[in-house]
Amino acid sequence: MRVGIIGAGILGRLIAIELFKRKYKVTIFEKSDANSSGSCTTTAAGMLAPWSESYESSQLVFELGVTSLKLWPNILKTLNSTHLFKRQGTAHLTLYRERHKLEHFFEHLKKRNIHFEAIKINSENKKEFVGEFSQEYSFGYYFPQEATLNPMEFILKCNDFFKENKISFNYNHIVTFYENNKITTDQGDFYFDSVINTMGLGAKNVFEKSKESLRGVRGSLVLVHAPLVNIHSVIRLTHLRYPIYIVPRGNNKYIIGATSHETECLKPITVESLLELLSVAAHFDKGFLEANLLDQRVNLRPTFMDGSPHFYSQNGIHYINGLHRNGITISPALANIFCNYLERKSNNNLDFPIENNKIMEELCLNY
């Protein structure tokens, strides 16, 4: 079966890998370069943190995140890249006078019956779990099960996998038209048995009349080189005004993020957002005052009104969208569920929904 995938972000790539393993003939189309520089994947911090994200995420996103955390090691094994998966854990830290906010977070998890493992951070274990940081952030908990991976390194490993296995990857191809068995780009026509659209906001017009219209939510982050900072786990600061995260990238590099604004502006990071991120980071560890700014990244996260992803099938085309800020966290599970659907459909001519279970009912979007 020949499958055409429009969009080579995290989800498009994972679907391509999974379908290839199931003996499908896969072709991928990407409007930007081979590294998918325009996708949200390249501006992601790469945190695999379903428990940390659960305060703002739906139950569906949480369950997809926990499943994906289990799937990632096998996916990376397929790419001969298991070293990309780093079980660094996540440290939630706050000022002692603001500890009630962190306590509220735990109460929220308990009310949702979300089971979690968390270790209280103290003066004896903080260096082991977190590293060295300001004594002011003296109250916190460590989530040992959470992990990270570097999205850019994952993209490069995917490219190697595509090349080694002769998977057709048509980057710098602008798709001008597509239907259930055909994709037209600025470089020609391509024919398939099935077409999958993972274009994010590029498919916004498809959902304009849907009950779950698609919008872009702007996110910003920065990459710094900070030789005076010594932390080795992901940090989430429960700050009074600007909660931020800090993700170690090795070689004294750290990602600091992320602002979130209800706008579809793609201009470079604003001075206000930059000050928010860096001022809180410097308050946490004064070593960030001596850091060098290496990069700033801005992108628009495709988001449905309910904050959850959805599948939608129209005129024989399969759309998967609405990953919001959870692309790295939930895409393995989404790819697996969708590929199961496609396989069953090709064998049994099934229509949505394919399974009578809660997850599929929530994923399948009906107009």
Side-chain angles (χ1 to χ4, degrees), residues 218 220-223 267-270 274 293-298:
R218 175 183 166 105
S220 308
L221 56 79
V222 296
L223 175 66
K267 291 181 179 180
I269 191 169
T270 64
L274 191 61
L293 185 62
L294 300 179
D295 194 11
Q296 64 84 27
R297 303 171 193 167
V298 172

Side-chain angles (χ1 to χ4, degrees), residues 215-220 242 258-265 269-270 272-274 276 298-301 324:
R215 74 189 192 280
V217 177
R218 175 183 166 105
S220 308
Y242 310 122
T259 60
S260 184
H261 296 111
E262 288 287 346
T263 176
E264 294 188 358
C265 173
I269 191 169
T270 64
E272 180 183 26
S273 294
L274 191 61
E276 287 177 14
V298 172
N299 219 317
L300 301 178
R301 306 148 173 161
H324 188 36

Side-chain angles (χ1 to χ4, degrees), residues 47-49 52 88-92 121 141-147 233-236:
M47 295 179 290
L48 310 177
S52 294
Q88 293 173 296
T90 303
H92 288 253
I121 297 171
Y141 287 86
Y142 177 73
F143 286 70
Q145 293 177 299
E146 297 187 332
S233 70
V234 174
I235 307 294
R236 286 179 179 253

Side-chain angles (χ1 to χ4, degrees), residues 226-253:
L228 300 182
V229 177
N230 183 23
I231 55 176
H232 50 75
S233 70
V234 174
I235 307 294
R236 286 179 179 253
L237 297 180
T238 308
H239 189 269
L240 179 64
R241 296 178 63 188
Y242 310 122
I244 70 166
Y245 60 71
I246 303 169
V247 182
R249 271 289 178 262
N251 299 317
N252 300 119
K253 294 179 181 178

Side-chain angles (χ1 to χ4, degrees), residues 76-343:
L76 295 172
K77 186 177 180 180
T78 299
L79 303 179
N80 295 316
S81 305
T82 54
H83 64 282
L84 296 185
F85 185 87
K86 301 185 185 301
R87 188 82 70 172
Q88 293 173 296
T90 303
H92 288 253
L93 297 168
T94 189
L95 301 173
Y96 187 77
R97 66 174 179 270
E98 295 175 10
R99 64 191 182 281
H100 63 281
K101 290 191 174 183
L102 200 49
E103 291 169 342
H104 179 72
F105 167 67
F106 283 101
E107 287 300 318
H108 179 77
L109 295 185
K110 291 175 183 177
K111 286 181 180 179
R112 289 180 58 184
N113 293 317
I114 292 177
H115 300 287
F116 59 91
E117 179 185 353
I119 303 169
K120 190 169 184 178
I121 297 171
N122 55 46
S123 58
E124 294 180 358
N125 63 23
K126 75 169 191 174
K127 191 169 183 179
E128 175 189 355
F129 292 145
V130 184
E132 299 172 357
F133 60 94
S134 169
Q135 292 291 343
E136 293 186 71
Y137 286 82
S138 58
F139 190 84
Y141 287 86
Y142 177 73
F143 286 70
Q145 293 177 299
E146 297 187 332
T148 64
L149 66 84
N150 188 321
M152 288 303 300
E153 291 183 4
F154 170 74
I155 285 176
L156 295 176
K157 292 297 182 181
C158 282
N159 292 347
D160 292 341
F161 182 81
F162 296 156
K163 187 175 181 180
E164 290 167 5
N165 292 282
K166 297 181 172 56
I167 296 174
S168 181
F169 180 25
N170 297 318
Y171 53 90
N172 292 326
H173 277 233
I174 298 175
V175 174
T176 57
F177 175 80
Y178 56 92
E179 53 188 349
N180 63 333
N181 64 349
K182 175 183 174 183
I183 295 175
T184 300
T185 76
D186 55 349
Q187 301 183 43
D189 297 329
F190 303 83
Y191 295 89
F192 304 97
D193 299 304
S194 188
V195 172
I196 303 166
N197 186 310
T198 64
M199 291 171 61
L201 278 183
K204 182 179 179 180
N205 64 314
V206 175
F207 300 94
E208 285 180 348
K209 296 181 181 179
S210 166
K211 64 180 181 181
E212 286 287 349
S213 59
L214 193 69
R215 74 189 192 280
V217 177
R218 175 183 166 105
S220 308
L221 56 79
V222 296
L223 175 66
V224 301
H225 181 243
L228 300 182
V229 177
N230 183 23
I231 55 176
H232 50 75
S233 70
V234 174
I235 307 294
R236 286 179 179 253
L237 297 180
T238 308
H239 189 269
L240 179 64
R241 296 178 63 188
Y242 310 122
I244 70 166
Y245 60 71
I246 303 169
V247 182
R249 271 289 178 262
N251 299 317
N252 300 119
K253 294 179 181 178
Y254 299 89
I255 285 179
I256 305 172
T259 60
S260 184
H261 296 111
E262 288 287 346
T263 176
E264 294 188 358
C265 173
L266 265 176
K267 291 181 179 180
I269 191 169
T270 64
V271 172
E272 180 183 26
S273 294
L274 191 61
L275 289 174
E276 287 177 14
L277 296 174
L278 296 182
S279 63
V280 177
H283 186 241
F284 168 69
D285 191 317
K286 289 183 170 51
F288 282 114
L289 291 172
E290 299 294 327
N292 298 111
L293 185 62
L294 300 179
D295 194 11
Q296 64 84 27
R297 303 171 193 167
V298 172
N299 219 317
L300 301 178
R301 306 148 173 161
T303 308
F304 287 118
M305 296 303 293
D306 65 356
S308 293
H310 290 290
F311 297 166
Y312 178 64
S313 186
Q314 181 185 58
N315 300 324
I317 302 165
H318 308 295
Y319 298 88
I320 312 174
N321 217 316
L323 275 61
H324 188 36
R325 67 184 196 184
N326 304 300
I328 301 289
T329 306
I330 66 176
S331 284
L334 281 177
N336 190 270
I337 291 170
F338 176 77
C339 291
N340 287 341
Y341 156 72
L342 193 65
E343 196 163 51

